[in-house]
Amino acid sequence: MDSIVTTEDTIAAIASAISIGKGGVAIIRVSGKDSINSCKKIVQTKSKYAWESHRVFHGFIQENKQNKFIDEVLISVMKSPNSFTGEDVVELHCHGGIIIVNKVLKILLSSNSRVRLANPGEFSQRAFLNGKIDLTQAESINQLINASNTRSAELAFSGIQGEIKKKINDIKNDLINQLCEIEARVDFEEDFTDFDYTKYLKNIKKVKEKIELLIENAKRNSYIHNGISIALIGKTNVGKSSLLNLLAKKEKAIVTNIPGTTRDVIEINLTINDIPMKIIDTAGIRETSEQIERIGIKKSFRKIKESDFIIYIYSLEEGFNEEDKKIIQEIPKEKLITILGNKKDLIDCKNINSNELKNTILMSIKNNDGERLLIDTIIKKCGLKQVENINIFLNERHLANLSACLSNLNDTDEIIKNKLPFDLLSIELRDGIQNLSKITGQELTEELLDNIFSKFCIGK
Ligand SMILES: Nc1nc2c(c(=O)[nH]1)N(C=O)[C@@H](CNc1ccc(C(=O)N[C@@H](CCC(=O)O)C(=O)O)cc1)CN2
Ligand SMILES: Nc1nc2c(ncn2[C@@H]2O[C@H](COP(=O)(O)OP(=O)(O)OP(=O)(O)O)[C@@H](O)[C@H]2O)c(=O)[nH]1
Ligand SMILES: [K+]
Ligand SMILES: [Mg+2]
């Protein structure tokens, strides 16, 4: 691995949340060779614990070596290698006002030419480069900071504890073992024939299943992190707003028997099976010259585009007709959770032709009949079923590398089936292993590194 960043510089930044401007205490974090010396220049202390590692001591921040103090602080020093970054780290715990903490930072930066402001994510980047954490742990730190719900935070923390790394390394070890078997034979070409292809294919199949399980679970866990949006779409008066109210368990939207009641988009948030969901009620779609309603209908079409998923509702009393067919053509197939035939209470179900029932669930929203079935359908269609309790969150980068590895493994199957040269097998396996190494960062490019850490906030 090339040396990617220069860790010659000592870096400093405000590590606590400062965007809101006030807080009891704010922390300035300093990391690098000059962290202790540069802080000594701006601190006056009489503490007997002063500058000892892993102690907290008391002091004052002084401006220009004068005896004029600008803040009273607590200080902790964590000497290399036993710190977050692995370098010498000093933390100054100032009063939490934005003016004072910025002033202390400014004085520190001007105290020593080798101290500079940290780039976004640079502390975590140093922790990574010094081998304190792998890439997945670094990414999990950022995920935890940005988590919007407790479940997402829980998954992020499990990543910080190394759960992603463990899963990936486990799969990697399986592949390394397979590679060893193969390479042993590539070296002694005459022994080709005794290679147990059946056993190899069986082992690789197991590895593929492990990867597929991770990918399947990741989909669900990414919904936990990002949530999903479901739009209720259909003609007027079919019961969209009634359904929104049923799911919300309160009267969020106006329901009347007047077609065109809902004009604007109405959204509610709920959690089903741990998944944060946004349910979106829209204006019923029909030909109309009424100006406000037309704007509402335009928004309905926009929601078809913007939402992750759609439930298409029609009235069983009216039947699924040409207009419904026309609207449903606007909905991408993969987004359609189900067609929902509503107002079951008004008809005799035996009279519905079986063609109409395909991909359709029947409900009486008014009588609260069929809600469970609808929720089960949502869970199934959106892939929200818990496959196995795998407590990790995989981001796009992890998934792309896992998929690449999976396709390497599929290629090795082909190589064997088509009796292609044996060394192709080992090339492909090596490639698969390399794709896994990219996830944890053992295989690294400068671009990848910049890409990941630039998404962090300053001070992390
Ligand atoms: N004040 C403060 N709080 C913080 C952090 C920090 O940097 N400073 N953290 C930063 O994100 C998180 C905690 N994570 C940390 C992870 C490792 C080490 C650390 O010093 N590791 C050393 C020593 C371990 C030990 O003493 O057993 C090591 O790994 O060698 C510190 C914090 C959250 N809270
Ligand atoms: N019989 C019966 N009536 C229902 C059912 N669900 C809704 N309704 C009635 O159908 C009418 C229209 O319901 P809404 O929920 O306003 O329909 P909508 O699709 O939101 O209508 P717009 O906002 O005008 O597009 C109301 O009078 C509801 O009480 C049902 O399951 N059975
Ligand atoms: K209505
Ligand atoms: Mg409505």
Side-chain angles (χ1 to χ4, degrees), residues 27 29 54 81-84 91 132 460:
I27 299 179
R29 184 156 56 167
H54 293 82
N82 301 314
S83 69
F84 174 68
E91 292 184 348
K132 289 284 171 186
K460 198 61 238 179

Side-chain angles (χ1 to χ4, degrees), residues 132-351:
K132 289 284 171 186
I133 52 177
D134 81 325
L135 267 195
T136 67
Q137 287 171 303
E139 289 169 306
S140 300
I141 291 175
N142 205 29
Q143 197 210 340
L144 182 59
I145 289 170
N146 293 306
S148 58
N149 60 69
T150 53
R151 180 69 184 134
S152 170
E154 204 179 307
L155 291 174
F157 188 62
S158 127
I160 291 179
Q161 291 193 295
E163 290 304 320
I164 303 175
K165 180 170 73 173
K166 256 190 244 159
K167 289 256 158 32
I168 299 301
N169 283 340
D170 169 59
I171 294 172
K172 200 163 109 181
N173 280 337
D174 288 347
L175 293 185
I176 289 171
N177 287 337
Q178 290 306 313
L179 183 65
C180 287
E181 297 241 335
I182 288 163
E183 303 254 295
R185 285 173 174 80
V186 175
D187 291 343
F188 306 99
E189 291 194 21
E190 62 274 15
D191 281 334
F192 264 25
T193 43
D194 72 351
F195 183 65
D196 189 342
Y197 291 104
T198 327
K199 193 174 137 207
Y200 170 84
L201 288 171
K202 214 175 99 197
N203 286 338
I204 290 296
K205 186 162 172 268
K206 271 194 211 140
V207 179
K208 284 198 285 191
E209 279 164 5
K210 279 190 194 175
I211 296 178
E212 278 158 2
L213 190 64
L214 283 185
I215 293 176
E216 186 62 27
N217 211 270
K219 196 164 99 187
R220 184 175 180 280
N221 286 347
S222 108
Y223 287 147
I224 289 176
H225 190 60
N226 301 314
I228 61 171
S229 55
I230 302 176
L232 310 179
I233 301 288
K235 295 189 303 184
T236 57
N237 256 10
V238 296
K240 299 179 297 298
S241 301
S242 305
L243 178 58
L244 183 89
N245 290 343
L246 178 69
L247 293 170
K249 307 264 175 284
K250 57 181 166 225
E251 301 296 310
K252 286 288 283 189
I254 300 171
V255 169
T256 76
N257 61 3
I258 305 163
T261 301
T262 306
R263 304 296 183 81
D264 223 337
V265 168
I266 302 171
E267 303 183 343
I268 57 157
N269 292 306
L270 35 129
T271 303
I272 297 176
N273 258 32
D274 273 342
I275 316 291
M277 292 190 190
K278 184 183 281 172
I279 311 287
I280 303 157
D281 182 21
T282 62
I285 295 169
R286 64 167 175 177
E287 290 293 335
T288 174
S289 55
E290 217 280 312
Q291 212 188 342
I292 303 173
E293 196 183 347
R294 282 169 79 116
I295 298 172
I297 293 171
K298 235 186 195 162
K299 285 195 185 180
S300 304
F301 280 109
R302 199 185 310 148
K303 284 296 163 190
I304 293 180
K305 287 215 173 70
E306 289 172 357
S307 306
D308 299 320
F309 294 104
I310 287 157
I311 295 173
Y312 188 80
I313 309 176
Y314 75 100
S315 159
L316 289 164
E317 192 187 29
E318 266 184 74
F320 192 90
N321 61 23
E322 286 304 316
E323 285 171 80
D324 291 299
K325 270 187 203 156
K326 231 173 103 190
I327 303 169
I328 224 165
Q329 274 168 6
E330 301 294 316
I331 303 176
K333 256 206 170 69
E334 66 281 2
K335 280 195 182 187
L336 185 66
I337 294 177
T338 185
I339 299 172
L340 193 170
N342 185 31
K343 308 196 186 183
K344 187 170 122 188
D345 52 292
L346 295 181
I347 54 140
D348 184 353
C349 287
K350 280 180 291 213
N351 292 341

